[in-house]
Amino acid sequence: MSTALVAHGFPEEQVRSRARHGAAAVFPAESGYGSGLLGAGPAPYTPDTDDELERIRIVPPVFMPERLKKLIDLGREPLYSDVDLETVIGGFTSRMPLYVSAFGSTQVASHDLGEAAGRQAAQLGVPLVIGENVVPVNGYRSADDAGVSPLLGRIAAYAEAAGEEYGGVAVQQSTEDADAEVWNLIYSDPVSEPLLSTGRLAFELKVGQGAKPGLGGLTVLDRDTAHRVAEQYATDEVFGADSDRVLRVSSPGTFTEEILRQQIRLMRNNFPRVKVWVKLHPGRDVAEAAATAWAAGADAVTVDGADAVTVDGAEGGTAWAPTGFLSHVGLPLADCLRRVGRKDSCLLASGRMWEGTRAVKALALGARAVGLGRAALLAVDEDREAGLRRLAEAFALEVRMLTSAVGKYHVNALDPQDLLFPAAWRMPSAASGAA
C-alpha cells in the first residue's frame, strides 16, 4: 500500500479496500458471516446527506415485465449476472458504463501513476481521458527527444494494453494546450496511430471543470518550474514572496454559443479521424450548453458536478481549488442531470463516483457512463498492477445487481422510474426532453 495520496472528505479507505479485494469488498466483512446481524444503519462510509444524488433511493418494483422477457429469452430465471453492461461512450465501445476521468498535469499523476491507470483502463476495455495542460507543463517529449512525456506515456501505455475492440482515449485541450498545438502534435504522432486506425481516439474540448466552475486550472509549482512555464502561464504570489511555491493560473477560456459551435466544427474539419468530446463545468445553463454541443456534432458531452473535489497529493503539486469554490460554487451533479434530462445523445457524468449505487442513479437520470477520478487514482496508488481493475470489478458487480433488482437486463434500460426522489425534487417535464 502506498501512502502518497490522501483524499480528504472522500471514502478513501473504502476505495483502497476495493482495490485490494475486488468484488468481495461489496459485502460486509466475511468474518462476520453467521454471527453478525445486518440491517439498515450507519455504514463504514456515511454519504453527505446534503448531496441530492445520495438522497435518491433506488426502488425495485414488484411486477417486472422485462424480467419475464429475459426469462423467456433465456429459458430459465434470469440472474444479475445476465445484465449486459456493454455500452457506447462517445463513439467508443466500452465493456461497462465507466471511464477514467482526466488527471491533468497534476504532479501525482504525471508519471507512473498516470501510465498505470492508462494500462489498467485499457485492460478493462473502458475509455481513458487525459487532462489538459500536460504538454505546456511537462513538455511533449524530453529534452533529448528520446524520452517519453507523461502525455505520450499514457497514450502508449493504453494502446499497448488495449484489445482491438473496446475502449479509447480522449485528450483534453484548454487555452494553453491550443497555444502548444497539442491536438496537432498528437494527430500526427506515430504513438497515436494504433488508436486512430481503429477509431478509438477522441479530442475533448474543455469548457470548464467541476471543482472550480468558471475558473481555469490552478496548480501549485515550485519556483524553478514556474519560471520554466512563465511564457505559457500567469502566476500569483498567494503564498508570499518568501515561499518557494507559487500558484500557476490557467485561462478558463471564453465561450458563447457561437464560439462553442465554431470550435466543434473546426475540430470536425481539422481532425476528421477523431471523435469529438466536450467537457462542461456545472453551470446554470448546462442544459443549453449541452444541447449546443450536441447540435454542433459532439459525440459526447461530459458534465463534471460541483461536488467533484480534487485529490490532494502528499507533494502538494496537484490540481488545486479555493475551498470556497468546493462548497459553494456550481450546480451539484444531481441538479446538472435533472436540468439536462434524458436524451438520446451521449451524456457523461463525473463527481464523487466510486461505487455502484451513485452510478446507477446517474445512469437512470440520463448519463450514458460515469467517470472515476479520485477513486481511480487511489486504486492505482494502492496497487499499480491491478488496483483499478479490482475497483472496476466491484463496480460492475454492484451495477449488475442493482440493474437486475429493478427488473432490467441492460444498463441502458435504467430510467427515472427506478428512483425515488426527495420531496422537493422535480424532474423536467416531457416537453423539456426528459424521458
Side-chain angles (χ1 to χ4, degrees), residues 50-315:
D50 290 332
D51 184 333
E52 282 192 295
L53 204 58
E54 296 293 345
R55 290 164 53 210
I56 294 171
R57 292 185 65 87
I58 299 165
V59 285
V62 174
F63 301 126
M64 299 184 181
E66 295 302 316
R67 181 172 290 179
L68 175 60
K69 292 179 183 178
K70 193 68 174 179
L71 182 155
I72 294 170
D73 180 50
L74 295 173
R76 60 168 173 79
E77 284 285 352
L79 303 172
Y80 64 78
S81 54
D82 296 311
V83 172
D84 188 357
L85 298 185
E86 186 174 308
T87 190
V88 177
I89 301 175
F92 303 149
T93 303
S94 179
R95 291 189 184 276
M96 62 185 79
L98 186 70
Y99 64 96
V100 177
S101 298
F103 307 141
S105 58
T106 58
Q107 190 172 349
V108 295
S110 289
H111 298 289
D112 53 344
L113 275 187
E115 292 186 16
R119 198 158 34 245
Q120 292 186 49
Q123 292 164 351
L124 287 166
V126 302
L128 169 75
V129 183
I130 300 178
E132 91 288 5
N133 293 331
V134 178
V135 170
V137 172
N138 299 296
Y140 190 68
R141 296 190 185 277
S142 66
D144 61 4
D145 206 41
V148 176
S149 71
L151 174 65
L152 293 181
R154 291 182 216 179
I155 294 175
Y158 190 99
E160 289 169 4
E164 297 182 355
E165 183 179 356
Y166 293 96
V169 172
V171 180
Q172 288 182 353
Q173 182 168 282
S174 62
T175 302
E176 290 80 12
D177 293 306
D179 292 340
E181 298 189 342
V182 171
W183 286 343
N184 286 323
L185 292 169
I186 294 170
Y187 198 69
S188 59
D189 198 299
V191 171
S192 307
E193 185 56 33
L195 296 172
L196 268 174
S197 63
T198 55
R200 290 184 294 169
L201 183 66
F203 289 162
E204 182 172 62
L205 177 65
K206 186 167 184 179
V207 178
Q209 57 185 294
K212 37 193 178 291
L215 286 181
L218 302 174
T219 300
V220 180
L221 299 179
D222 62 75
R223 289 192 177 274
D224 288 341
T225 304
H227 179 73
R228 178 169 56 81
V229 300
E231 291 186 7
Q232 290 83 29
Y233 296 99
T235 58
D236 195 334
E237 297 277 4
V238 297
F239 306 109
D242 295 333
S243 173
D244 62 351
R245 295 186 175 185
V246 298
L247 185 69
R248 187 214 73 191
V249 181
S250 300
S251 168
T254 301
F255 289 91
T256 63
E257 289 182 56
E258 185 58 25
I259 290 174
L260 180 57
R261 278 194 292 266
Q262 291 300 334
Q263 288 272 26
I264 294 170
R265 288 168 183 162
L266 282 172
M267 293 168 70
R268 284 289 189 200
N269 291 333
N270 295 347
F271 309 107
R273 300 174 67 193
V274 305
K275 305 295 189 294
V276 173
W277 291 22
V278 174
K279 182 172 183 178
L280 303 176
H281 67 253
R284 62 182 188 239
D285 54 353
V286 64
E288 183 180 2
T292 300
W294 283 322
D299 294 292
V301 171
T302 305
V303 176
D304 194 357
D307 43 13
V309 186
T310 56
V311 175
D312 181 7
E315 299 87 358

Side-chain angles (χ1 to χ4, degrees), residues 338-358:
R338 180 172 62 86
R339 292 190 184 206
V340 175
R342 291 183 60 83
K343 301 290 190 296
D344 292 334
S345 303
C346 182
L347 178 69
L348 309 179
S350 62
R352 297 191 66 86
M353 296 293 174
W354 66 278
E355 48 78 44
T357 59
R358 185 175 180 86

